[in-house]
Amino acid sequence: SGGDTVEEGFSAADLPALLADKSHVVWLDFQAENETQAKEAEEILLNVFKFHRLTVEDCLETRNQPKVEVFPNYLYFILHDVKNETNSANFVTIELDGYIGDNFVVTFHTEAFRSTEKDKRQMRSTAFACRRGAAYLLQQILDHLVDLYMPVVDDFDETINVLEERVFQV
């Protein structure tokens, strides 16, 4: 998207020109729910963005530990979001892989993410995050992801309090 507007629906063929114009901030969000979508993402990650092959392999796999790796022109990261069914008895996460460069953010996941959907809705209503740049956009994405941890932390806190009371009653 440009500085004052948010535009969607670009094709993979449009990406090189968009990325070359540093006045644009590009957010590419892959939701690869099947093999065909994963192959399309792999093609773009390797041949358009020229990301390191090992990071692309990590991206396409799941069950990775959170991490950040620094490359000359971008950072690669792996994070985890909590799923709806997560509580103190059942902690379930979904992996979010991503890249950030001067004027782009790329996110990759295999299931819908509540936090990225919220970010998309917010961006459609205002281009503020895009005007602030790729780092600010990623900060917004991560902030919404972390917000979803708070109900889980509260549930764990309540469970710990109950257990503590039971221990001290004995």
Side-chain angles (χ1 to χ4, degrees), residues 2-67:
D4 295 323
T5 62
V6 173
E7 298 178 35
E8 299 180 72
F10 294 100
S11 71
D14 297 322
L15 285 172
L18 289 170
L19 292 167
D21 183 345
K22 297 299 181 182
S23 70
H24 291 113
V25 174
V26 176
W27 177 19
L28 186 57
D29 181 49
F30 290 105
Q31 184 172 324
E33 297 177 332
N34 59 50
E35 186 66 28
T36 301
Q37 292 170 334
K39 285 291 185 195
E40 289 170 358
E42 180 180 29
E43 178 72 22
I44 292 169
L45 296 173
L46 288 172
N47 298 320
V48 174
F49 286 95
K50 311 274 191 237
F51 293 139
H52 193 283
R53 175 165 288 287
L54 293 177
T55 66
V56 174
E57 288 176 12
D58 278 350
C59 198
L60 297 173
E61 295 175 7
T62 56
R63 302 269 185 201
N64 291 303
Q65 295 297 318
K67 67 178 175 178

Side-chain angles (χ1 to χ4, degrees), residues 19 54 60 95 122 154 162:
L19 292 167
L54 293 177
L60 297 173
E95 186 174 311
Q122 186 175 352
D154 291 342
V162 168

Side-chain angles (χ1 to χ4, degrees), residues 65-157:
Q65 295 297 318
K67 67 178 175 178
V68 175
E69 293 181 350
V70 179
F71 291 86
N73 298 316
Y74 62 91
L75 294 176
Y76 169 67
F77 59 88
I78 301 174
L79 304 167
H80 292 265
D81 193 5
V82 292
K83 293 180 77 169
N84 278 337
E85 63 266 23
T86 293
N87 57 50
S88 61
N90 184 34
F91 191 73
V92 185
T93 65
I94 179 174
E95 186 174 311
L96 175 71
D97 293 73
Y99 302 84
I100 181 170
D102 288 340
N103 68 328
F104 66 84
V105 174
V106 177
T107 49
F108 179 93
H109 44 98
T110 58
E111 298 176 42
F113 257 71
R114 292 177 291 161
S115 57
T116 56
E117 291 307 312
K118 181 178 180 179
D119 294 315
K120 289 175 189 175
R121 284 191 305 273
Q122 186 175 352
M123 266 197 286
R124 287 177 182 121
S125 66
T126 177
F128 180 76
C130 295
R131 285 194 304 268
R132 300 285 307 266
Y136 185 83
L137 173 59
L138 180 60
Q139 185 276 328
Q140 292 293 292
I141 294 167
L142 300 182
D143 186 54
H144 291 140
L145 185 143
V146 170
D147 286 348
L148 296 174
Y149 271 85
M150 295 317 296
V152 175
V153 170
D154 291 342
D155 187 46
F156 271 95
D157 190 43

